[in-house]
Amino acid sequence: MLVTLRDPRRTIVFAGDSVTDCGRRSDPAGLGDGYVKNLYDAFGADRPRIVNAGISGHRAVDLAARWQTDVLAYEPDVVSILVGINDTWRRYDEDDPTSAESFEHSYRAMLDGLDAQLVLIEPFLLAVKEEQHTWREDLDPKIAVVRRLAAEYDAILVPADVEFNRQAATAGATTLADDGVHPTAAGHQLLADLWRRTVLDRLS
């Protein structure tokens, strides 16, 4: 289902974790100060209604649990999802892993029956600490899940992991995400620009 985004009658919900949240729950406008706000500004006067439904620390299972109230309740025309890095991170900092199969099960629960254009953003990681290199064995299968689901559900795939790592090769990883996970201002702008290029090429 393709829709035109530059229409105030449309609604986009951005769902995810801290990368999407970015302080939106303490922001009177509810947008936070990350890529969602950058996209809001970039759309200009003919922007659609934009809803930020990110919550810091959430994994796919947490997002699925609040799907009805935090996403479907807005009757969105477009749903953009960025989740997965916490499903990997908790394995290494709390010994609380999420298998790729469990991740896919939660992700599918969000997508099944959803009557909206889907935008799936790859979870991403820049290995700024030596131990983060080992995270790839856990994260890469989850990225593969997102790519596979994007194809299966006819979603627009935003290749964030590919682009962040490509840009980091010249700009430096800490320029884009000083802890390897949470984007800096430059990283959020990169993500917003990538989202616009990828999505607006399809939905103009």
Side-chain angles (χ1 to χ4, degrees):
M1 181 183 75
L2 296 180
V3 300
T4 299
L5 285 187
R6 296 189 180 279
D7 185 339
R9 295 169 298 178
R10 302 296 189 188
T11 297
I12 307 175
V13 176
F14 290 88
D17 51 37
S18 59
V19 178
T20 300
D21 183 335
C22 281
R24 63 95 178 171
R25 287 172 291 163
S26 58
D27 174 12
L31 296 169
D33 61 0
Y35 77 96
V36 176
K37 176 63 162 59
N38 293 352
L39 286 168
Y40 177 91
D41 292 340
F43 271 114
D46 60 349
R47 68 175 63 89
R49 179 191 187 196
I50 292 178
V51 177
N52 187 334
I55 293 186
S56 229
H58 273 197
R59 293 186 266 190
V61 67
D62 303 307
L63 186 52
R66 59 187 177 87
W67 199 244
Q68 180 63 50
T69 56
D70 287 14
V71 176
L72 299 186
Y74 292 99
E75 300 182 350
D77 299 286
V78 178
V79 176
S80 179
I81 304 171
L82 171 53
V83 73
I85 190 59
N86 290 315
D87 293 85
T88 286
W89 199 348
R90 296 295 85 84
R91 170 180 172 180
Y92 297 97
D93 69 348
E94 295 182 5
D95 192 23
D96 184 12
T98 301
S99 69
E101 293 76 16
S102 293
F103 177 73
E104 181 172 349
H105 177 79
S106 296
Y107 217 122
R108 281 186 182 277
M110 295 183 275
L111 304 184
D112 283 340
L114 185 59
D115 184 23
Q117 173 62 53
L118 293 169
V119 178
L120 307 188
I121 306 175
E122 293 175 350
F124 54 87
L125 172 68
L126 298 176
V128 302
K129 303 173 184 176
E130 186 60 34
E131 62 268 24
Q132 287 177 320
H133 289 283
T134 65
W135 294 17
R136 276 284 158 192
E137 66 178 350
D138 189 278
L139 182 62
D140 285 350
K142 294 179 173 65
I143 293 174
V145 166
V146 174
R147 292 171 179 168
R148 186 168 67 251
L149 292 177
E152 181 179 337
Y153 286 83
D154 195 26
I156 298 172
L157 177 69
V158 178
D161 188 61
V162 172
E163 185 65 8
F164 266 81
N165 280 277
R166 186 180 75 83
Q167 295 283 353
T170 53
T174 56
T175 300
L176 302 176
D178 53 16
D179 66 353
V181 172
H182 298 96
T184 60
H188 276 291
Q189 190 60 57
L190 184 158
L191 184 55
D193 290 344
L194 177 64
W195 196 98
R196 288 179 65 204
R197 290 197 310 272
T198 307
V199 177
L200 293 184
D201 275 353
R202 292 276 302 276
L203 309 178
S204 58

